[in-house]
Amino acid sequence: MHDPLPRGGLIRKLWIGEADLYRDHLLRLDPVSRRNRFAGAVSEDFVRDYADLSFGIDSLIHGFFVDGTLRGAAELRPIGAPLTREAEAAFSIEKPWQSHGVGSLLLERTLLAARNRGLKFLHMACLADNKRMQQLARKYEAELSFDFSNVVGEVAAPRPTPLSMMREILADGHGFATAMFDVQSRLLKPV
Ligand SMILES: CC(C)(COP(=O)(O)OP(=O)(O)OC[C@H]1O[C@@H](n2cnc3c(N)ncnc32)[C@H](O)[C@@H]1OP(=O)(O)O)[C@@H](O)C(=O)NCCC(=O)NCCS
C-alpha cells in the first residue's frame, strides 16, 4: 500500500497562493487525461477559470511534486449541506507519471483527510471507460465502498481517531519541511 514515490517526488498539500501551479499542471494534461479528469472535453479557458476557483475555503488539494514542479493533484471539496457529509474528489496525474503508484498514494492521503473531516460520501466524476481510475478505487475497497453507476464511494469509519489525526499531522509535517526547503532553494537560485 505504501509504494515509494517516483524519484525526486514528494506529496504535500497545496497552499492558497499556489493556484498558478495547479493551473499550469492541469493545462499540461494530455487530451485524454484532461477529458478523464473533467469527465468530458473542456477548453483551456475552462481549465484556467477552474483552477482559479479551486482554492475555496473548504477545498483541500494534495499535490505531487517532482523537482519542484507539480505533476499530480488530488482535490477534495465538500459539497452540499455540512450535515450530508459529502465531498467531491478528483485526481489528475500527468501522463509520464501515471501507473507509477502516485494515484494510489494521493487517494490514500485524500481518504485520510476525508476521514479526519468526518466526510462520509465521496463523489468522483469517472467516465465509464476510465478503467484505471476504477481499478484504483477498487484497490481501496476496504476503506471505500463504490457504486460506479452513481460514482459514489462511501468512506469506511468516517470518524477521526487520534491515530488518523496523527497520521495526517505527520504527513503534513514532512510536507511542510520539504516545501520550506523547496522555497528556500528557489530563493537562493541565481536569476
Ligand atoms: C486515474 C489516475 C488518477 C490513476 O493514477 P495512477 O498513478 O496512474 O494509478 P496507480 O499507478 O496508482 O495505479 C492504480 C491502479 O490502477 C490500475 N492501473 C494502473 N495502470 C493501469 C493501466 N495502464 N490500465 C489499467 N489499469 C491500470 C492498477 O490496478 C493499479 O494498481 P496496482 O498497480 O496496485 O495494480 C491517473 O492515471 C490520472 O490522473 N489519469 C488522468 C485523469 C483521470 O483519469 N482522473 C480520474 C478522474 S477523477
Side-chain angles (χ1 to χ4, degrees):
M1 223 185 223
H2 296 278
D3 328 45
L5 278 170
R7 209 180 159 80
L10 79 99
I11 289 178
R12 69 165 171 85
K13 286 175 185 159
L14 294 194
W15 300 340
I16 209 131
E18 295 185 317
D20 54 337
L21 300 187
Y22 192 40
R23 179 200 58 218
D24 293 347
H25 154 65
L26 291 174
L27 286 171
R28 278 193 298 269
L29 291 175
D30 64 283
V32 174
S33 300
R34 189 195 288 182
R35 173 179 168 274
N36 282 334
R37 165 61 181 79
F38 291 100
V42 294
S43 69
E44 291 209 344
D45 283 344
F46 175 93
V47 174
R48 282 196 184 88
D49 292 344
Y50 178 89
D52 287 343
L53 291 172
S54 292
F55 283 75
I57 294 169
D58 287 342
S59 57
L60 178 65
I61 304 176
H62 281 99
F64 162 65
F65 288 82
V66 180
D67 299 328
T69 304
L70 184 65
R71 298 296 184 182
E75 226 182 293
L76 178 69
R77 179 199 303 269
I79 50 173
L83 282 180
T84 61
R85 300 197 288 160
E86 289 179 64
E88 213 168 46
F91 300 84
S92 51
I93 292 153
E94 293 176 33
K95 203 170 171 59
W97 286 274
Q98 289 177 10
S99 301
H100 287 92
V102 179
S104 306
L105 291 169
L106 285 173
L107 180 55
E108 278 179 31
R109 292 285 190 97
T110 302
L111 278 171
L112 181 61
R115 181 176 182 184
N116 284 340
R117 283 153 189 77
L119 295 165
K120 190 164 165 61
F121 295 104
L122 284 189
H123 296 259
M124 285 175 234
C126 181
L127 294 174
D129 60 2
N130 193 349
K131 301 288 176 245
R132 198 178 320 196
M133 185 63 219
Q134 292 168 18
Q135 275 303 113
L136 170 56
R138 278 203 189 96
K139 270 176 65 177
Y140 291 86
E141 262 168 354
E143 291 173 73
L144 272 175
S145 63
F146 275 90
D147 175 350
F148 270 107
S149 55
N150 295 318
V151 203
V152 178
E154 189 175 344
V155 182
R159 280 176 301 279
T161 62
L163 186 61
S164 71
M165 298 293 281
M166 189 52 77
R167 278 173 59 206
E168 186 169 348
I169 290 166
L170 285 175
D172 284 352
H174 178 260
F176 183 75
T178 324
M180 288 313 291
F181 180 71
D182 189 38
V183 169
Q184 274 174 1
S185 32
R186 270 192 265 169
L187 287 174
L188 291 172
K189 247 185 212 161
V191 275

